[in-house]
Structure formats: structure tokens, C-alpha cells
Amino acid sequence: LSLGEAKNLPTYPGPNKMRDCYCTVNLDQEEVFRTKIVEKSLCPFYGEDFYCEIPRTFRHLSFYIFDRDVFRRDSIIGKVAIQKEDLQKYHNRDTWFQLQHVDADSEVQGKVHLELRLSEVITDTGVVCHKLATRVLECQGLPIVNGQCDPYATVTLAGPSRQSEAKKTKVKKKTNNPHFDEVFYFEVTRPSSYNKKSHFDIEDVDEVDKMEIRVDLWNASNLKFGDEFLGELRLPLKFLRQSSSYEAWYFLQPRDNGNKSLKPDDLGSLRLNVVYTEDHVFSSDYYSPLRDVLLKSADVEPVSASAAHILGEVCREKQEAAIPLVRLFLHYGRIVPFISAIASAEVKRTQDPNTIFRGNSLTSKCIDETMKLAGMHYLQVTLKPIIDEICQVHKPCEIDPVKLKDGENLENNRENLRQYVDRIFTVITKSGVSCPTVMCDIFFSLRESAAKRFQGDLDVRYTAVSSFIFLRFFAPAILSPNLFQLTPHHPDPQTSRTLTLISKTIQTLGSLSKSKSANFKESYMATFYDYFNEQKYADAVKNFLDLISSSGRRDHKSIEQPILLKEGFMIKRAQGRKRFGMKNFKKRWFRLTNHEFTYQKSKGDHPLCSIPIENILAVERLEEESFKMKNMFQVIQPERRVLYIQANNCVEAKDWIDILTKVSQCNKKRLTVYHPSAYLNGHWLCCKATADNTPGCTPCTGGLPANIQLDIDGDRETERIYSLFNLYMPKLEKMQEACGSKSVYDGPEEEEYSTFIIDDPQETYKTLRLIIEGVGTLEQEHAQYKRDKFKKTKYGSQEHPIGDKSFQTYIRQQSEISAHSI
């Protein structure tokens, strides 16, 4: 997601009129991300990106704009809610969305399981009447309101001439998945003498058709404002004419109260760019033919005839192809030979050494993506401490005389900026030994290719590497630290300006160009750069570039440094280390490195508890019934000691579980079974065993790759590549035509074929045939899977409740291509 900006928000009613706004990203009603607060603005610019794996089903992706209030609860200005089935409409397009009003009646999520039975009852006096039994079995996924959910249901039978009183279930405390299993009886038709052959007379049938059963879900609140509405369901009784009993799951719906007084455009609008992908991934053997063709790409001569290079040629954006290719090649350990091959081919096509690797080619996008994946921890240890300091201290560093604020001194600002640039330059040029091996191997191959191609240019061996490590790695990370996970949010305007000035200077220092001051359009930057016009800076850059691009330069001691993998606040339950201590829940700052997992009272404090990585025997989810708390997981240690932790939301819980599992994957004593629930009141809630040292009752979930840097599913990346090939099939066919045309016709190239790089038409044609065959086979498998799913799926099941619009769309699509009927 890219959260751009909001425009024309309504003015604040006070004299100031400005607002302090932030935006949240929600899966249904669960917040998974929050932007920084932009102060005193009605057109706040956020410029923040957020990426996440979605760990559960959802109906809406929602964005809420809040106005911060220092004294009361923050107020909601408006929201944008995109239905899951509509996400493809806006895929990868900058779109302005009108903000909609938010009221309690429209904020709904979750589903309810109901059973209805209409029966004929003969009374003692011989008269007959019809009764409706409504059984409310359970609900799932209700929203959590103000941190709690104590739900109950009310059931009402309503008709044109009457409405029964609401019947109410018991309140279920501290759960958003309540089990009610309560039955309520309603009299549907008035008693009459029992002499009719049919169920109802005509008058009764009409009356029943107009009746509806209504189920409302509420959160029992202690607040004076009354209970909060969670969702409703209205079912007309006429569908019971076909069958006197009916059982199904239903999505809860918002309450339509007709309150549409304000126009949507009164609230302003929000600019978003959403990229949503959903792939069905088969087991590994399905992908063998396509995967084998892709993994041989590095060995194909020429490389432009390889499957990976062809993907880059047919995709609209090179980035689209680079992301899954890099992840696939990294997973199978083929990234260095692949990038070496495509880089060497690009260098051969480059005429001017000054433009080497400057375009947005497949090579540059693949190297960018590799650095982002493999170099993330390298950035953390190199830049994060000083970036944090710049963001917290707010030293004035503006050196443009036009932009100076009152009371600021130009010389002082220049000195502040010079010190920052000096410190960042020093930590970068001294960090060579920490540069990840995979990056060094790629830089070595770039350096060799460039030096061989431009033998008369002695500097090209440096500029080939610096165009990536400085221009496309360190400089962008300094400029936008939030995009490289160095800061949680986009920095404030003053800090952002400081980082821009530092980034420009570092970029120029790293570029090793002959005339430095000519690189700057602004005279104040050229003046500032005079501080760094000394040979020692150029020498330091060259020594650094030599170190990271020389083969076999690895210093293994650098691996011993602890690498910070993840940190943040979570809530933990006391582990019971003190014999008589309370086992209560407390908020703590958690920190995970590749050496240990610790928590402390707050960031920077001394750790209260440290768990060595080798002592993490399993990391698994904890069932909600244990403590009536969502998003909990458990870290299991020797002697059955368990640390129970609650993350802030489902996305964060998944991130922590994944990275803890990954970093402890190679532990020799890892468990194979665990308890999915807690040990409380003398027994395990899951298996009811009474001994606290009873071995687990459930197999541990399959782990992840043990590589700390990467968590990649090769099959999933191959499925993504298949989807891209399938999407661009017309271009693959056009490329086949181009190969045929080039083979038989030696004249000027036809314009429609000139966009493709085809060095060897026959080899390229062979590869294209293999790709099209592999894609065709997978396409048939997907079609068969959909047909089988279509036959087995029941509308109204727990997976596809009645009201599931994405399933209704799916049914429509299948009905068009299939003779089956639901």
C-alpha cells in the first residue's frame, strides 16, 4: 500500500481550523498499520508505504482518517472501505477515494451460524398453530470495541402487523468468537381449528411471506452511552416454504438507518495505491517444468534467450519481473550466476562508461531487489543508530539561505550538516567487512565485466559498483529511511530536509565523478561540498569499493556481531519464575537478535529476561480460549517453561512467529509436538492432561528456511511468475512471431518487434515454446482445481457464508464457463 495524501478535510470547529491527522490501515475493523501524525493541516501528506502478508480472510480493506485530540479520544473524520472483490479494480493505480462517513451502524464484521425450523403444533384443545424455532449457535470474527468484546444476540420476529419482543441470549465475556447455542420460539400464525390439509390457509401464507426474523449482535458495554451495535441479519420467512428447516452461516450486515444527510465530498478525499495479489499455490511437483526452465537461465547462451530474461522483456514494469525472479533465484542459490550473466550482457550493450547501469533495466532492478532483501540487516547495523539520532535531536541543518528560519545561523547549520555527513560517510566506508557475501559476489562480477569492457577507463571498475551501493542503496535509505525499515514512519519535514541534504552529499561522494561541484544545480550545495573536496574522501570510497568487490574477502568475525532482527512493544504474561508472584499481563519492549530474545520495561532499559536463541524449542500460536485474548503466541523453552505473548494485531503476530521460528529453526532440541492452549487450573485446556510436563498433543507447524535473511517459498514465487507469463501471454506470442520474422528476414526490423531484445532467434524461440507449454499445463491445473472447488463448495458454509460477495462473483464466473449449477 502507498498512502499518499488527503485533501480538503473539513475544518476544525475551533478558531485554529487546522487539524492534526493520521491515517490507519485496517483489515475489516482490525488496525494493522498507522501513519505518523501530520500537524496543523487540512491536506496532510503522508507518503508512507506498507507491505504485509494477510494472515486471515477479510471482507474490507479500510482506511480511517483520525484527528488527534489531546484531551479526549481521537475523533474519526471519515473512512475509505474497499471490498476485497473490488481490490483488482484499483490494482497498482494511484486513485483518489472520497472519504465516507463513519457511524456505529456501518462498522460491521463477522458471521453468525443460525438454524431455523418452522413446525406445526397441535395444542391440547385441538387447535393448530405454527411455531418458529430459531437457534443461535455461534459467531466468529466479531469486532473488538475499545479493546474488549462481550457479545450477546437479540432475536425478533417482525411482520407488517406485529413485532414480537426481542429475546436475548446470555452475554459471553471476553471473546469475539462466542458460542451461544440457545433456542428461541416464536408463534408465527394464530391458532385455528385443525382441519386444513396444507400448512397454512391463503391469509396465513401471505402473512408468513411478509414476516422476517431479525438477529442483532451487541457488545455489552459498561459505558453510559449504552451497548454497541456489532451487526445484524434479516431473513424473510418465505424461504422456509421450500423446506421447513434451514441451517447456514451468514455474514453480519450493517444497519441501514437512512441517515445520509451529509454528502461524501464534504469530508475530503484520500489518495491511495493498492497492490493486492492472491495466488493459489500447488505442491512443488506441479511447478517442476516451469521452474527448471527458469533456473537454467544463467546457463543459457545468449542470456537474452533465457526464460528469466524473456519475463523481463514481456512485463510492463521491469520491477514486476525482478521481485519474484530474485526471490526464486535466492531461494535456490542461483542469484549470483544469474545476475552476473544479465549484467555482463548489459555491459556489452553499453557504449559509454559514464552511463553504465544507470537505466531501469532488468539487471538494475534485480540488483536493487537483491540488496533490499539481503542487505536489510547490513543497513540496520550501519545506518540505524545515526538515523535514529538525527530523527530525535532535530539539529537545524538548512543551508539554503532562502529557507533559513528566524534565529538560525547559516555557519552553525553548515557545521551541523558537515558533522552528520562526516559521521555517515565514516560508518559506511568502515562497514566493508559487514557487507553480505551475496552482495560482494555480485559486485565482484560487475567490476570484472565493466573493467573488461572498458579497458581504457580505470575508474569504471569503481563506478560500476558505486552506482549501486551508493546511488541505489545507501543514498535512498538515508533519503527515505521508512522504506528500508530504519524508521517506522516517514520523518517530519525538518528531519526529511536534513536527510535529503545528507543523501545528496553522500551520493556525490560515492559517485567519484571528476567535477564534483558541477553535480549540483544549487550554488549553496556546491559551496557546502567544498568541505569534502579532499583526496582522503575519494581514497576512502575506493578502499571501501575494493573491499566489497574483491573475491573471497570475507572476515568471519563480522558474523559474530548481533544483528537486530525485530523489536517493538507487546504484552506478555508472567512466566512464574517467582514462586508466589502474580501471573499478570504487562506491556514490555521486546527485542530479537540472531543471538537472543529479550524484553525490558521500555526501549533502551536493561533486559528483564533474556532467552538465548538455542533455548527456543518452538514458537506457535495460542488458542484464544486460553486467556480470552486475540493474537497470542507462545515461546516454548527447556523444562516446559512457556512465555505467552500478545501482539498488537494479526499481521504483527504472524511477523513475530515467522521470524522467531526462522531464527530458531536449526536448534537441535526443537520440539515436534506442543500444546495449542495454556496450562490453567491444574490441566491443559486442549487435551485435559493434568501433569504440567505432559508432552504436547498437537504436531508443531512446519518451519521456515533457516536462513536469517530470507523467508522465501520457491513454489509461491514460481506461481507468481506463472501468473505474470499468463497475464502477458499475447506478448509472448508476439515475441514468437518476432523470432520467426528475424530468422527468415534480414532487412530492417519491423517496428512492432523492435521493443524486444532478441540476440539469437532460434534459441529464444525454443525457450518461448517451453514457457508457453509450462504455462498452458499450469493453466489447465488451475481450471481443474476451480471446477473441483466449485462442485464441492456449499454457499452458506462456514468458509462461504451467505452474503459473501467474492463467492457470488466466483459463482457467476464459474456458471459462465461451466455446465454445473450450484
Side-chain angles (χ1 to χ4, degrees):
L1 303 170
S2 290
L3 291 112
E5 60 193 306
K7 278 244 173 97
N8 305 324
L9 299 179
T11 55
Y12 187 71
N16 184 4
K17 298 200 171 179
M18 293 290 129
R19 292 180 182 271
D20 300 341
C21 297
Y22 61 91
C23 180
T24 67
V25 181
N26 296 51
L27 287 176
D28 298 318
Q29 256 81 74
E30 183 178 11
E31 183 184 317
V32 293
F33 178 72
R34 181 180 291 206
T35 68
K36 66 179 185 298
I37 296 168
V38 177
E39 296 183 341
K40 299 188 177 90
S41 174
L42 297 178
C43 296
F45 177 81
Y46 297 108
E48 299 206 27
D49 289 5
F50 171 63
Y51 169 86
C52 79
E53 297 287 321
I54 297 180
R56 63 172 178 81
T57 56
F58 68 102
R59 286 162 72 185
H60 292 92
L61 181 66
S62 303
F63 303 84
Y64 292 81
I65 301 269
F66 283 86
D67 183 14
R68 180 184 60 180
D69 194 315
V70 179
F71 302 108
R72 291 172 303 181
R73 226 166 71 200
D74 297 349
S75 55
I76 299 178
I77 296 171
K79 73 168 180 180
V80 171
I82 309 172
Q83 290 183 344
K84 181 185 172 185
E85 51 276 13
D86 290 338
L87 285 170
Q88 282 305 321
K89 281 188 209 170
Y90 309 109
H91 182 80
N92 205 9
R93 284 205 338 252
D94 260 18
T95 310
W96 283 96
F97 292 91
Q98 292 291 336
L99 289 172
Q100 305 293 327
H101 286 280
V102 176
D103 57 48
D105 292 341
S106 67
E107 298 297 278
V108 166
Q109 72 175 55
K111 52 193 174 185
V112 59
H113 188 190
L114 285 186
E115 185 182 352
L116 301 175
R117 190 179 296 276
L118 190 62
S119 49
E120 203 171 57
V121 179
I122 305 170
T123 64
D124 295 342
T125 56
V127 293
V128 65
C129 63
H130 297 91
K131 286 199 172 175
L132 176 71
T134 304
R135 184 178 176 205
V136 184
L137 288 115
E138 60 180 309
C139 292
Q140 281 191 350
L142 297 177
I144 290 174
V145 185
N146 301 330
Q148 58 109 36
C149 190
D150 298 339
Y152 68 90
T154 61
V155 186
T156 314
L157 180 68
S161 55
R162 61 175 178 151
Q163 180 160 329
S164 73
E165 64 176 281
K167 301 190 178 185
K168 181 179 163 184
T169 66
K170 290 176 183 159
V171 174
K172 298 292 178 181
K173 291 280 188 185
K174 292 185 180 174
T175 177
N176 66 339
N177 298 318
H179 285 260
F180 296 113
D181 203 3
E182 295 188 41
V183 185
F184 302 100
Y185 294 95
F186 298 94
E187 197 172 272
V188 176
T189 58
R190 60 182 180 278
S192 59
S193 57
Y194 187 58
N195 57 11
K196 300 183 183 73
K197 291 183 180 172
S198 69
H199 266 359
F200 311 115
D201 60 23
I202 299 301
E203 187 188 337
D204 286 344
V205 170
D206 286 347
E207 196 175 320
V208 169
D209 279 1
K210 290 172 187 168
M211 285 184 175
E212 65 176 15
I213 194 83
R214 186 168 140 190
V215 180
D216 292 90
L217 267 295
W218 298 88
N219 178 39
S221 170
N222 299 322
L223 301 173
K224 60 183 176 187
F225 309 116
D227 295 348
E228 287 113 345
F229 174 76
L230 300 180
E232 73 168 18
L233 183 63
R234 293 180 176 220
L235 293 174
L237 291 195
K238 61 183 172 190
F239 74 88
L240 286 172
R241 278 210 270 164
Q242 282 96 24
S243 167
S244 60
S245 72
Y246 196 77
E247 179 191 344
W249 282 86
Y250 299 85
F251 271 137
L252 289 167
Q253 301 299 331
R255 182 165 58 184
D256 181 14
N257 60 2
N259 182 15
K260 308 279 182 192
S261 57
L262 283 165
K263 293 178 187 171
D265 54 1
D266 291 346
L267 297 175
S269 50
L270 180 64
R271 179 167 61 83
L272 301 168
N273 189 321
V274 179
V275 176
Y276 174 73
T277 57
E278 186 176 305
D279 292 320
H280 173 76
V281 184
F282 291 116
S283 56
S284 206
D285 49 316
Y286 283 79
Y287 297 106
S288 294
L290 185 60
R291 185 176 54 234
D292 291 348
V293 176
L294 286 161
L295 291 175
K296 284 176 188 158
S297 293
D299 308 320
V300 173
E301 284 288 341
V303 76
S304 62
S306 69
H309 194 278
I310 288 168
L311 181 65
E313 288 296 291
V314 297
C315 282
R316 194 163 58 100
E317 304 278 347
K318 297 282 190 252
Q319 183 83 355
E320 258 184 318
I323 292 171
L325 284 174
V326 164
R327 295 173 76 88
L328 181 74
F329 286 121
L330 272 167
H331 184 69
Y332 287 100
R334 301 285 295 150
I335 193 69
V336 176
F338 169 63
I339 286 182
S340 300
I342 58 172
S344 176
E346 184 174 325
V347 169
K348 282 175 189 166
R349 286 194 293 273
T350 306
Q351 300 305 316
D352 179 358
N354 293 319
T355 62
I356 196 162
F357 300 126
R358 289 296 166 92
N360 282 329
S361 62
L362 182 66
T363 309
S364 56
K365 289 295 180 189
C366 283
I367 297 175
D368 287 354
E369 196 57 32
T370 306
M371 292 192 301
K372 232 177 179 181
L373 284 167
M376 206 54 87
H377 305 306
Y378 175 38
L379 275 181
Q380 295 273 339
V381 294
T382 309
L383 290 183
K384 189 167 172 39
I386 190 161
I387 296 282
D388 282 346
E389 183 188 321
I390 293 167
C391 291
Q392 286 159 14
V393 176
H394 287 105
K395 276 187 187 175
C397 295
E398 183 54 73
I399 56 169
D400 181 354
V402 179
K403 293 184 180 175
L404 273 189
K405 290 180 185 170
D406 291 343
E408 284 186 359
N409 180 292
L410 190 60
E411 280 310 309
N412 287 351
N413 288 9
R414 275 192 189 137
E415 181 55 24
N416 290 340
L417 186 62
R418 191 192 65 75
Q419 286 179 7
Y420 277 147
V421 170
D422 239 341
R423 286 173 59 194
I424 286 183
F425 179 81
T426 304
V427 294
I428 289 172
T429 50
K430 291 271 167 60
S431 70
V433 290
S434 306
C435 186
T437 310
V438 69
M439 284 168 62
C440 295
D441 292 344
I442 288 168
F443 294 150
F444 174 69
S445 104
L446 297 182
R447 174 189 172 126
E448 295 299 295
S449 297
K452 192 174 168 187
R453 171 79 174 86
F454 300 104
Q455 292 178 4
D457 190 324
L458 296 177
D459 278 340
V460 75
R461 67 187 62 214
Y462 295 117
T463 52
V465 178
S466 73
S467 64
F468 284 105
I469 194 76
F470 280 102
L471 270 66
R472 303 176 84 115
F473 187 62
F474 284 122
I478 295 164
L479 184 66
S480 305
N482 54 307
L483 300 185
F484 291 81
Q485 275 118 60
L486 294 172
T487 59
H489 298 300
H490 190 68
D492 61 78
Q494 184 188 323
T495 307
S496 194
R497 175 69 179 154
T498 301
L499 293 173
T500 303
L501 296 170
I502 295 170
S503 179
K504 278 184 176 184
T505 316
I506 292 292
Q507 189 170 320
T508 310
L509 277 166
S511 67
L512 291 170
S513 58
K514 309 286 186 295
S515 170
K516 297 295 171 113
S517 53
N519 282 359
F520 297 110
K521 297 193 289 282
E522 309 94 339
S523 57
Y524 62 84
M525 282 302 296
T527 309
F528 173 69
Y529 197 81
D530 288 342
Y531 286 125
F532 303 98
N533 253 334
E534 293 180 42
Q535 190 57 36
K536 67 174 184 180
Y537 290 102
D539 292 344
V541 169
K542 284 185 175 179
N543 289 340
F544 169 66
L545 295 172
D546 277 333
L547 182 60
I548 63 171
S549 61
S550 57
S551 186
R553 51 91 252 179
R554 196 73 182 149
D555 173 7
H556 287 285
K557 284 179 189 168
S558 66
I559 299 170
E560 295 305 310
Q561 291 177 287
I563 297 170
L564 176 65
L565 300 176
K566 191 168 175 63
E567 61 181 347
F569 274 115
M570 291 191 287
I571 291 168
K572 63 99 195 171
R573 183 177 186 254
Q575 296 181 75
R577 287 174 296 163
K578 295 178 185 170
R579 191 166 178 187
F580 299 107
M582 285 277 290
K583 289 197 176 181
N584 53 0
F585 289 88
K586 287 185 177 168
K587 190 174 183 180
R588 293 288 181 252
W589 181 263
F590 283 82
R591 199 166 184 276
L592 174 68
T593 70
N594 57 334
H595 290 185
E596 61 182 358
F597 182 44
T598 61
Y599 62 78
Q600 50 241 51
K601 269 194 175 172
S602 46
K603 189 175 181 178
D605 288 356
H606 187 72
L608 298 170
C609 172
S610 169
I611 303 169
I613 294 302
E614 57 270 23
N615 281 359
I616 298 177
L617 307 186
V619 184
E620 298 287 347
R621 291 188 181 281
L622 185 72
E623 286 181 0
E624 193 186 321
E625 62 163 358
S626 300
F627 300 108
K628 303 281 191 266
M629 291 165 74
K630 281 175 76 71
N631 304 318
M632 287 202 71
F633 63 94
Q634 50 184 319
V635 178
I636 305 168
Q637 304 155 65
E639 298 170 16
R640 301 283 166 189
R641 178 179 289 167
V642 184
L643 175 59
Y644 296 119
I645 302 171
Q646 183 188 33
N648 296 316
N649 57 57
C650 62
V651 170
E652 209 168 284
K654 182 182 185 300
D655 286 349
W656 275 106
I657 293 167
D658 284 355
I659 198 153
L660 280 162
T661 304
K662 189 167 35 172
V663 79
S664 61
Q665 190 68 44
C666 291
N667 289 350
K668 289 173 185 165
K669 295 180 181 174
R670 272 190 72 83
L671 297 179
T672 53
V673 289
Y674 78 106
H675 290 286
S677 291
Y679 183 80
L680 294 173
N681 305 324
H683 68 276
W684 292 99
L685 297 180
C686 41
C687 58
K688 307 298 182 242
T690 51
D692 63 354
N693 61 354
T694 306
C697 57
T698 305
C700 287
T701 50
L704 298 151
N707 181 348
I708 289 172
Q709 291 173 335
L710 302 165
D711 163 22
I712 294 171
D713 178 343
D715 299 330
R716 178 171 147 176
E717 302 309 327
T718 314
E719 171 62 34
R720 186 93 290 273
I721 292 167
Y722 150 76
S723 298
L724 289 169
F725 274 137
N726 203 24
L727 178 65
Y728 294 110
M729 184 56 75
K731 280 197 176 179
L732 288 172
E733 289 163 353
K734 185 74 74 184
M735 204 169 177
Q736 271 191 321
E737 288 173 25
C739 289
S741 170
K742 277 199 163 195
S743 297
V744 297
Y745 176 63
D746 208 19
E749 194 166 23
E750 286 186 44
E751 194 177 331
E752 63 174 329
Y753 301 145
S754 62
T755 53
F756 301 122
I757 295 174
I758 300 172
D759 296 322
D760 184 331
Q762 289 181 324
E763 277 299 314
T764 307
Y765 190 88
K766 278 185 202 168
T767 309
L768 280 163
R769 205 178 66 237
L770 289 171
I771 292 168
I772 290 168
E773 278 174 16
V775 169
T777 307
L778 278 168
E779 195 174 11
Q780 287 172 3
E781 295 291 354
H782 276 289
Q784 186 60 48
Y785 165 78
K786 282 178 180 170
R787 281 196 295 273
D788 293 345
K789 184 181 173 187
F790 184 66
K791 284 182 200 171
K792 292 173 191 168
T793 304
K794 184 189 167 199
Y795 191 41
S797 63
Q798 191 171 351
E799 295 76 28
H800 299 287
I802 292 169
D804 182 351
K805 289 188 180 170
S806 60
F807 183 64
Q808 288 168 337
T809 308
Y810 172 71
I811 289 172
R812 266 201 311 279
Q813 290 166 351
Q814 291 303 311
S815 300
E816 287 162 14
I817 58 170
S818 163
H820 297 290
S821 61
I822 196 99

